[in-house]
């Protein structure tokens, strides 16, 4: 899984590491694992595991050796303590590509029973490898590196000894179907390039690196999804079932990996003074601190907290995080933010700021570690945001919190402030009667407009002829016109007020960032021409929506242009069609698009909600005077529909709802002509 390599961090269609050319389901040879489970219990569901640990690689591969025997022993002991009664291991020369496949089939798939909890743990090298089937947006598959897989490209080698993400993905689908909806499948990957594509590469730490080699081979040209066929990541397994909205017969699955898809992973030193994989080390320790109320989210948070003290690479998690560990069943987890140590007496810092819509005046509650929602019995304090940066916010509390309660405490947003949303406007050379009428209308309709003499967001000017003002021009600070030249008159005032209202709504939407952990819906921009810069005028593209959540989502895609206009890419505003994307589904919206004027920064904004929202009343040219009724729960968008009814104090507080946003922003440029 790789990020789509066009500007501005456009996400790929892959939700994360698609764990690993097809599982041969024909008869396989006897398992070559060097440590096999004995006396497997009979009867009902059990907890079983396969640990693959490769520390000593074949010399001809040119991979350096690792200390994965520590991983194997530590993880094995931790799983035993968690009630796993069938644990198999395969190491070193036994862990070839064929050996791992054999063990996976015979020790996991063949023996699995409905309701089993199955763990696959891998410790070893990881590497990107040239895509072999055209399904990767960046032209590379992610792969685990078996004992005999070469580090460098060789004549005639096509990746047969590597364990690609495509293959393991298919194996896991078979296993999940065998275990069934009452079971669980969990994967731990302690290797390089093993996780979700988020952000850039990390920095190197001390200790052996579990990979670090360049990709094997050049990227495949022409990579990328075509039509409605898409890649759905490791979650939910096979493409067909995911495209059909998910196969309810499959077991839920969770993947915890040591690093992002483009990061190296490093070893650390364990409690016994021996080198060990950093994920395996943290996993072994934190499993011992788990109990019947622990969710995978809880486990991952504690793993992440331990690893961040030792290594710079970031562990990743995918899947139904709020499932209870091993025993199934989901906890309904409300969105929350992490609490940092006290900044001053009566204050704490949370790891979210203006980018997440946490602005001054927002109200939060602080609850104990592991709290699924803000309940009275878990409440430690409540407070108000007194300052915020882009990524953090300081909260003034109504009571002190013991320092022992702060680690992993959770902050829940209870009321959000939209802050001092305003549009700074300056006017020059306007006739006095026109200027007075304009200001009066703006004051009635748009109380967030502030008239200034300089440093404005929008400037309005009169163009004169024969010393008489005859035409009104209005443009952004960057010089992009927000209306066509207007003849002087009352009609110009109507058009200006509508354009200023559009700009206010656009500014609000551009800065709104809502990513509740339990409601993850993402937008993908896929060009028709592989490798093309989709932000050039005339380039064609499709829109995909990837709903990684466990609930369906109603979706709208708005286009926020550099002149402040708001248009609907999806649905067609003429029909107001309601589009609901099922859970665990990646869907192509039913139209193709072409990048057009205006030039400048343009944002495509996906809005996903649990109820239908009709945005037609706020689209450009609907204007502030439109009285069309919006359907469904408006949540944080309610102020957009009533900009003129907010009073002089600006934007009100709103109650957070089940809404998520995902934005893609790029610089639109003219098409190059040779």
């Amino acid at each position: 899984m790789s990020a789509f390599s066009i500007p501005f961090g456009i996400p790929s269609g892959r939700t994360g590491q698609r764990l690993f050319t097809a599982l041969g389901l024909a008869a396989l040879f006897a398992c070559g694992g060097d440590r096999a489970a004995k006396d497997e219990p009979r009867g009902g569901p059990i907890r079983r595991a396969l640990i693959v640990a490769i520390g000593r690689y074949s010399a001809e591969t040119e991979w350096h050796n690792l200390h994965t025997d520590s991983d194997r022993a530590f993880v094995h002991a931790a799983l035993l303590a968690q009630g796993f009664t069938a644990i198999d291991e395969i190491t070193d020369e036994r862990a070839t590509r064929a050996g791992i496949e054999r063990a996976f089939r015979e020790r996991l798939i063949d023996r699995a029973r409905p309701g089993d909890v199955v763990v696959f743990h891998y410790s070893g090298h990881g590497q990107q490898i040239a895509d072999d089937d055209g399904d990767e947006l960046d032209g590379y598959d992610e792969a685990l590196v078996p004992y005999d897989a070469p580090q460098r490209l060789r004549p005639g080698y096509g990746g047969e000894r590597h364990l690609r993400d495509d293959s393991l993905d298919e194996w896991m689908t078979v296993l999940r179907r065998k275990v069934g909806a009452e079971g669980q499948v969990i994967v731990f990957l302690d290797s390089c390039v093993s996780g979700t594509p988020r952000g850039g590469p990390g920095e190197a730490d001390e200790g052996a690196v579990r990979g670090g080699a360049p990709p094997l081979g050049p990227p495949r040209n022409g990579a990328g999804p075509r039509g409605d066929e898409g890649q759905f990541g490791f979650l939910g397994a096979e493409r067909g079932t995911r495209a059909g909205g998910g196969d309810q017969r499959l077991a839920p699955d969770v993947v915890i990996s040591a690093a992002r898809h483009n990061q190296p992973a490093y070893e650390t030193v364990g409690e016994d003074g021996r080198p060990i994989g950093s994920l395996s080390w943290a996993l072994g320790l934190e499993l011992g601190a788990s109990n019947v109320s622990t969710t995978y989210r809880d486990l991952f948070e504690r793993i992440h907290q331990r690893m961040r003290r030792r290594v710079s690479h970031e562990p990743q998690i995918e899947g139904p995080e709020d499932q209870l560990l091993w025993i199934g069943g989901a906890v309904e987890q409300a969105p929350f933010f992490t609490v940092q140590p006290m900044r001053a007496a009566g204050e704490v810092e949370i790891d979210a700021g203006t980018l997440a819509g946490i602005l001054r005046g927002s109200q939060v509650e602080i609850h104990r570690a592991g709290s699924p929602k803000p309940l009275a019995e878990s409440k430690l304090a409540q407070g108000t945001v007194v300052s915020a940066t882009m990524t953090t916010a300081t909260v003034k509390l109504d009571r002190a919190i013991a320092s022992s309660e702060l680690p992993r405490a959770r902050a829940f947003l209870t009321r959000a402030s939209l802050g001092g949303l305003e549009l700074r406007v300056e006017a020059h050379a306007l006739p006095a009667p026109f200027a007075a009428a304009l200001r009066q209308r703006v004051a009635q309709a748009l109380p967030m407009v502030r008239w200034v003499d300089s440093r404005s967001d929008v400037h309005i000017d009169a163009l004169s002829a024969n010393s008489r003002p005859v035409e009104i021009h209005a443009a952004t600070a960057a010089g992009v016109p927000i209306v066509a030249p207007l003849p002087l008159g009352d009609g110009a005032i109507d058009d200006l007020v509508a354009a200023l209202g559009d700009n206010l709504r656009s500014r609000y939407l551009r800065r709104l960032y809502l990513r509740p952990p339990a409601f993850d819906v993402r937008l993908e921009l896929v060009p028709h021409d592989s490798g093309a810069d989709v932000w050039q005028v005339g380039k064609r593209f499709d829109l995909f929506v990837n709903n990684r959540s466990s609930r369906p989502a109603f979706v709208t895609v708005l286009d926020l242009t550099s002149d402040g206009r708001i248009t609907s890419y999806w649905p067609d505003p003429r029909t107001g069609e309601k589009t609901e994307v099922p859970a665990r589904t990646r869907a192509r919206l039913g139209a193709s698009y072409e990048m057009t004027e205006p030039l400048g920064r343009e944002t495509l904004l996906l809005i996903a909600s649990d109820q239908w929202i009709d945005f037609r009343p706020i689209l450009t040219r609907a204007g502030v005077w439109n009285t069309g009724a919006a359907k469904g729960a408006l949540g944080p968008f309610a102020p957009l529909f009533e900009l003129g009814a907010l009073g002089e104090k600006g934007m009100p507080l709103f109650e957070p709802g089940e809404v998520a946003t995902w934005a893609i922003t790029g610089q639109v440029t003219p098409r190059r002509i040779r």
Side-chain angles (χ1 to χ4, degrees):
M1 314 237 0
S2 19
F4 184 30
S5 57
I6 68 177
F8 314 104
I10 295 175
S12 76
R14 304 288 300 285
T15 64
Q17 164 89 0
R18 281 186 66 242
L19 297 177
F20 304 5
T21 1
L23 170 62
L25 295 181
L28 297 173
F29 298 108
C31 176
D34 36 329
R35 295 175 180 85
K38 306 290 186 182
D39 302 323
E40 182 173 306
R42 299 182 179 277
I46 65 171
R47 299 180 184 181
R48 64 178 70 249
L50 174 63
I51 299 173
V52 177
I54 311 173
R56 183 171 55 85
Y57 278 80
S58 171
E60 68 177 16
T61 67
E62 301 183 65
W63 289 103
H64 63 265
N65 291 335
L66 301 169
H67 301 88
T68 60
D69 195 56
S70 297
D71 302 35
R72 177 198 58 75
F74 204 51
V75 171
H76 189 125
L79 292 176
L80 278 176
Q82 288 289 310
F84 280 73
T85 55
I87 304 176
D88 289 282
E89 300 174 356
I90 180 170
T91 63
D92 297 344
E93 66 272 5
R94 302 279 186 159
T96 62
R97 170 66 169 74
I100 296 173
E101 181 173 358
R102 214 161 30 235
F104 197 100
R105 169 61 186 272
E106 296 188 351
R107 299 298 177 179
L108 296 185
I109 293 175
D110 286 353
R111 298 188 178 192
R113 308 166 183 169
D116 279 0
V117 175
V118 182
V119 165
F120 176 76
H121 181 97
Y122 172 84
S123 290
H125 285 298
Q127 187 180 29
Q128 289 185 313
I129 182 172
D131 178 25
D132 64 344
D133 60 3
D135 68 339
E136 297 282 358
L137 291 173
D138 69 344
Y140 286 113
D141 283 323
E142 279 64 54
L144 305 182
V145 181
Y147 169 80
D148 56 347
Q151 182 187 113
R152 304 177 191 278
L153 194 63
R154 299 175 179 179
Y157 182 69
E160 299 82 9
R161 299 179 187 174
H162 281 72
L163 182 48
R164 297 176 184 267
D165 54 359
D166 300 347
S167 297
L168 194 50
D169 189 20
E170 296 187 16
W171 301 3
M172 296 302 295
T173 300
V174 178
L175 178 60
R176 292 175 62 207
R177 183 172 288 112
K178 185 76 177 291
V179 170
E182 299 303 314
Q184 291 186 25
V185 175
I186 305 94
V187 174
F188 301 107
L189 298 176
D190 200 340
S191 63
C192 294
V193 299
S194 55
T196 302
R198 299 172 186 166
E203 299 174 357
D205 293 340
E206 296 298 327
V209 60
R210 300 204 160 180
L216 190 70
R220 177 188 176 109
N221 293 327
R226 296 291 180 264
D228 288 316
E229 180 184 1
Q231 305 309 312
F232 308 104
F234 179 76
L235 301 182
E238 61 191 354
R239 308 170 193 174
T241 57
R242 181 69 60 82
D247 189 337
Q248 300 302 313
R249 299 169 297 172
L250 301 181
D253 60 336
V254 175
V255 182
I256 296 179
S257 49
R260 299 176 187 150
H261 82 298
N262 57 357
Q263 278 187 321
Y266 292 85
E267 294 182 342
T268 186
V269 176
E271 273 50 37
D272 59 359
R274 300 173 59 191
I276 186 173
S278 53
L279 175 64
S280 299
W281 165 76
L283 172 65
L285 292 175
E286 293 304 336
L287 280 179
S290 300
N291 55 44
V292 293
S293 64
T294 299
T295 65
Y296 290 102
R297 185 193 299 276
D298 298 331
L299 176 65
F300 176 75
E301 285 180 356
R302 300 201 302 263
I303 288 173
H304 194 183
Q305 188 174 34
R306 281 192 181 273
M307 289 179 62
R308 72 194 304 177
R309 301 177 189 146
R310 298 280 190 96
V311 294
S312 60
H313 54 89
E314 298 179 30
Q316 306 291 303
I317 184 171
E318 295 188 50
E321 302 170 32
D322 297 313
Q323 288 272 331
L324 290 167
L325 188 67
W326 314 140
I327 62 176
V331 173
E332 189 67 26
Q333 179 65 59
F336 68 90
F337 304 104
T338 302
V339 179
Q340 304 301 326
M342 297 283 249
R343 294 178 56 87
E347 292 184 352
V348 295
E349 184 176 274
I350 61 176
D351 65 346
T354 56
L355 283 177
I358 308 297
L359 307 179
R360 184 173 180 174
S362 296
Q363 298 176 12
V364 300
E365 289 184 2
I366 311 298
H367 289 256
R368 291 189 178 91
S371 300
K373 61 182 67 176
L375 300 173
E377 55 267 29
S378 62
K379 182 177 176 181
L380 299 173
Q382 65 185 32
T384 302
V385 174
V386 294
S387 64
T389 68
M390 294 180 68
T391 57
T392 64
T394 300
V395 180
K396 183 71 173 178
L397 301 176
D398 66 346
R399 71 190 76 165
I401 300 177
S403 58
S404 60
E405 294 276 17
L406 280 177
R408 301 194 306 277
R410 294 178 174 180
F412 295 90
L413 178 66
T414 54
R415 297 192 76 195
S417 170
L418 302 182
L421 178 66
E422 64 178 20
L423 187 69
R424 297 165 58 87
V425 180
E426 62 178 307
H428 298 286
L430 299 182
F434 182 89
L438 175 62
R439 285 177 178 252
Q440 182 179 10
R441 293 281 293 279
V442 168
Q444 295 171 347
L446 307 171
M448 292 75 61
V449 168
R450 298 288 178 264
W451 296 93
V452 297
D453 296 326
S454 62
R455 302 181 66 180
S456 62
D457 303 306
V458 172
H459 56 84
I460 302 173
D461 303 280
L463 180 67
S464 298
N466 299 321
S467 300
R468 295 180 58 189
V470 295
E471 200 170 65
I472 303 298
H473 291 237
T476 68
V480 179
I482 66 171
V483 291
L486 300 169
L488 195 63
D490 289 342
I493 292 178
D494 290 342
D495 287 344
L496 285 173
V497 170
L500 294 176
D502 289 341
N503 269 264
L504 270 165
R505 295 184 177 92
S506 180
R507 289 167 66 83
Y508 169 88
L509 289 168
R510 282 177 185 271
R511 77 180 189 179
L512 194 65
Y513 180 96
L514 301 170
R515 292 286 163 76
F519 202 47
D520 188 356
V521 187
R522 305 187 178 193
L523 180 66
E524 303 162 21
L525 188 63
V526 180
H528 287 191
D529 302 327
S530 175
D533 180 359
V534 76
W535 297 103
Q536 286 187 12
V537 173
K539 292 299 181 181
R540 295 178 62 82
F541 59 93
D542 295 322
L543 292 175
F544 285 77
V545 173
N546 193 346
N547 183 5
R548 298 163 39 144
S549 308
S550 59
R551 67 189 71 180
F554 289 99
V555 298
T556 298
V557 180
L558 300 179
D559 180 27
L560 312 178
T561 60
S562 55
D563 56 1
R565 290 185 294 116
I566 304 172
T567 58
S568 178
Y569 264 48
W570 191 267
D572 186 331
R574 295 171 297 183
T575 64
E577 175 186 351
K578 299 178 181 180
T579 301
E580 186 177 28
V581 178
R584 311 285 186 212
T585 300
R586 179 176 181 268
R588 174 183 175 273
L589 299 182
S592 292
Y593 302 88
E594 182 176 299
M595 193 61 68
T596 59
E597 304 271 2
L599 306 184
R601 292 185 68 77
E602 189 159 344
T603 297
L604 298 185
L605 178 70
L606 170 70
I607 299 168
S609 56
D610 59 349
Q611 298 186 53
W612 171 244
I613 301 175
D614 186 353
F615 284 95
R616 285 178 292 178
I618 69 165
L619 300 180
T620 294
R621 295 303 95 198
V624 296
W625 313 114
N626 190 303
T627 58
K631 308 299 182 184
L634 300 181
F637 304 102
L640 297 182
F641 293 84
E642 299 182 9
L643 288 182
L646 299 174
E648 293 299 326
K649 294 184 179 180
M651 307 297 276
L653 295 172
F654 66 80
E655 303 295 335
E658 293 297 342
V659 178
T661 62
W662 190 272
I664 298 176
T665 300
Q667 185 76 24
V668 184
T669 58
R671 189 181 340 201
R672 296 182 179 88
I673 300 176
R674 294 184 177 181

